[in-house]
Amino acid sequence: MSDAPDSVPNQANQPPISDAYDASKLGKLEGLEAVRKKPGMYIGGTDERALHHCVSEVLDNSVDEHLAGHCSKIEVAIHVDGSISIRDNGRGIPVDIHPQYGIPGVEMVLTTLHSGGKYGQGGYKFSGGTHGVGAKCVNAVSEWFEVEVSRNSQVHHMKFERGKTMKKLEVIGKARGTGTLITFKPDAEIFKETTVFQSSRISQRLRELAFLNSGLEILFTDERPAEPKPERYYYKDGVEEFVKQLNQGKTALHPKPVSIRKETKVKTDEKEAEVHVEVVLQYNDTYNDQVLCYTNTIHNPDGGTHLSGFRSALTRAINQFSKANNLLKDKDPQITGDDVREGLAAVISIKHSDPKFESQTKVKLLSPEVESIVGSVCYEGLMLYFETNPPVAKRIVDKALNAARAREAARKARETVRKGALSGGGLPGKLADCSERDPALGELYIVEGDSAGGSAKQGRDRRFQAILPLRGKLINTEKARLDKVLSNEEIRTLITAVGTGIGEGDEAVGGFNADKARYHKVIIMTDADVDGSHIRTLLLTFLYRQMKGLIERGYVYIAQPPLYKIKRKKREQYVDNDEQLNRILLELGSEDVVLARLADSHVFAPAQVDKIVENLAALEKLGAGVTRYGASLAEYLDAQDPATQALPRYVARIREGNKETHQFLFDEHARSKFLTQHGLNADLTEQNENGISSTAPFPPDKKPTGPIKRVTIHEIYESTEMAKLLKAIAATGLDTARFAASEAPRFTITENAGQKSENRIELRSPLEIVTTIRANGRKGLSIQRYKGLGEMNPKQLFETTMDPEKRRLLKVNIADAAKADALFTLLMGDEVPPRRQFIEDNALNVQYLDV
């Protein structure tokens, strides 16, 4: 017998006691930590789409102020350091202490989930925000987040880092008006794919908001280019102008769009909701439809109940009018929903006091009562319009009838293509297929011409890479109906190879089904010349119009052959873009050089030189945020805090006559003190988009006698990133206390050190180091502009453009269907004048032109 205590025998499937599942294994995420741990639940992911969704979340709060009648202007700016600012002249987020929670209102709405003014307390009648998680989620996924609120004649300021309060709410000055300014920088720890905002994506959303909110002025500036070009969006006629823009470059069947508006009330969940419906539509002579849906100005790309209500009403109204006026013959096919939408451009905008969405990203409206409301409003409005405008109604019916006839012809053509794929071996002979049968692993390269196709076939990895060479140029699917498109041999070959079918309709008769895709990477690989660009555009037009699901699933890519081939001595290298070329110039310039500090003859190690050059180049790039206001970058850097390397947050620009001076202000308190010193809180000051100025109209009895002094204060959003770079440079041993050029040399760079041809250059400022290194990198360098795939042999083609380890692919997405539709129509449609105008407007932006 053992003296050990009684114990239960350990069974094979019973975990040890230490691994038992008890309350100690349960956790709780406090505050905004949940958002950082699971960002996909709140902002839909961590990719580029989610990054831009953050902008929408903040922007929508400003638009809600406009919907409530308190905001007429919104300003958006992308800064050089990658941060973004959104300012409105609304009421300003409340800053008083909340009676129940004991913290300022602005802190509550930016740090506490499910808090805000959109839960029926009377703050907003219509609002895009319904869950109370928008702005605080952006705060949580931002490296830093700042808010300024102008309210009660005071400017209030708070600062956060990764959702945590770093500076409590404080008053930093006097305010002449009201409004909110939010600035944030996305956190690279969350957005690992990219933290770079796409200017085109944001500008399109801003334009869209201006269309949907007539009377709202929106200003947008991307400060990253060397010469920023501010854009202004303001549309008096709102949605009507939106629809006209959708039809730009197309021939409208009726010059004035059909506008239907109605306000109604409905009971939802035992309470009354207010619903405003606005639908504007206009037909054109193309074969594609475009219907955009919005709820409280939020785009719903997946539609929802408002879209289904509109579609059923449109089909019913057109069929009803055609029957009532005997416009259909017995032999004519039945007009379906697809037929009545051919050539339709429409915007459905509803405002709902209590909308229900599918998710936080609001891609689909679920409110069930909206379907019947929109359906009845649209049916009544359309029937009234048709009865009062019979000639237009007849043109619309004729178009729908022609679409029905073409649909029958296309169905037969699709059936022919489908049968061809199922018989006689199925796949086209020119397709060099891969051995991999899992679509998720397979890649299809669509290659321009048999010559490049031959090189691609020889150079590819046969296990997972298939090659389909296309001869000549495809039919322009923008100008042709589907039945004619399907008669094109190259198109039929492509359809068969991809395996999904095309267009809308039943899969049994060849309709599109993305699940049938034989490859999950369809890669367009064409030359970087005029013909290659044309073929690529024709292919994208076809895929966008007939296989849109492939693009929506992220299956379509464009191969990115290298842009340059550089040679220096024995080194040969392909370069993808100008940014990479600049990096290589710095790398080459750093080779065989010795950087020394003259004060103590200290020689920097090669690894240190590389770090110094890399960080100085980044500092130089961010310096555009300072120099655009006329200040000296060296003087700004010299204004740093010696202990922390922190940099001034503001630059004051003082102009008096022809004289201009600058003063750097460290923080909000320094700015407030400066304003007081210059008397800029008096009646003679005005706040405008250019800063705070003393050039407002003067009363007759107070007109100045001397030169007028004008003062503007600009915020340097890049100061945080620049301070980080200063610390990194200082860590290498380089003195960063003085950037202004000194009288005596401070550094030397010796090129070709130890050789007979060595060259010693004296430098008086740290900023001269990167300039000298870059110039050295160009010596003896041959840069060849690279154009065609045919210039490479099979091995080179694989290494540069097809090798998964080295290649660069550009994923094709539909970030903005309206813009994509307009661009395809512009470039590939029948209207020549708009295309000519586009070429004239953009000709000077072309860096390389192949003629």
Side-chain angles (χ1 to χ4, degrees), residues 615-629:
N615 289 315
L616 282 173
L619 198 63
E620 184 183 65
K621 183 178 179 181
L622 288 174
V626 177
T627 57
R628 69 161 44 98
Y629 303 123

Side-chain angles (χ1 to χ4, degrees), residues 559-577:
Q560 300 284 283
L563 190 62
Y564 303 103
K565 183 177 182 181
I566 61 172
K567 287 184 181 181
R568 188 182 190 188
K569 298 178 181 176
K570 294 183 179 180
R571 177 172 176 171
E572 284 192 11
Q573 189 172 346
Y574 290 101
V575 182
D576 293 331
N577 51 48

Side-chain angles (χ1 to χ4, degrees), residues 643-790:
T644 63
Q645 273 86 42
L647 288 163
R649 187 66 174 181
Y650 302 93
V651 56
R653 195 175 186 178
I654 306 160
R655 281 163 282 186
E656 193 167 1
N658 295 324
K659 183 182 176 183
E660 180 173 317
T661 57
H662 295 83
Q663 188 172 333
F664 301 113
L665 310 172
F666 247 90
D667 52 25
E668 294 79 17
H669 297 292
R671 180 181 68 169
S672 180
K673 185 178 178 182
F674 174 86
L675 292 173
T676 303
Q677 286 174 344
H678 284 75
L680 292 177
N681 288 323
D683 292 335
L684 300 184
T685 63
E686 69 172 354
Q687 179 90 34
N688 59 39
E689 65 270 18
N690 296 317
I692 300 165
S693 170
S694 61
T695 56
F698 291 93
D701 59 332
K702 291 186 179 180
K703 275 197 172 182
T705 55
I708 295 175
K709 187 198 308 191
R710 183 163 186 260
V711 178
T712 54
I713 296 182
H714 306 279
E715 189 164 0
I716 308 300
Y717 296 97
E718 298 77 17
S719 59
T720 303
E721 286 301 308
M722 295 172 82
K724 290 180 185 176
L725 291 170
L726 284 181
K727 287 183 179 179
I729 295 168
T732 65
L734 191 78
D735 180 17
T736 60
R738 180 175 169 81
F739 280 84
S742 57
E743 291 185 10
R746 295 168 59 192
F747 309 97
T748 61
I749 284 182
T750 306
E751 301 170 357
N752 304 319
Q755 301 177 27
K756 289 182 180 180
S757 59
E758 75 172 21
N759 181 33
R760 190 168 178 268
I761 304 170
E762 294 181 341
L763 309 176
R764 288 171 167 75
S765 162
L767 293 174
E768 292 179 8
I769 294 173
V770 69
T771 308
T772 306
I773 292 287
R774 191 180 288 120
N776 184 47
R778 286 191 173 272
K779 291 179 180 177
L781 185 69
S782 166
I783 304 176
Q784 177 189 347
R785 166 77 170 123
Y786 186 74
K787 283 170 59 177
L789 300 173

Side-chain angles (χ1 to χ4, degrees), residues 25 77 80 177 225 536 776 798 810 815 849:
K25 300 298 186 292
V80 181
R536 183 166 61 249
N776 184 47
F798 179 77
L810 178 66
L849 183 63

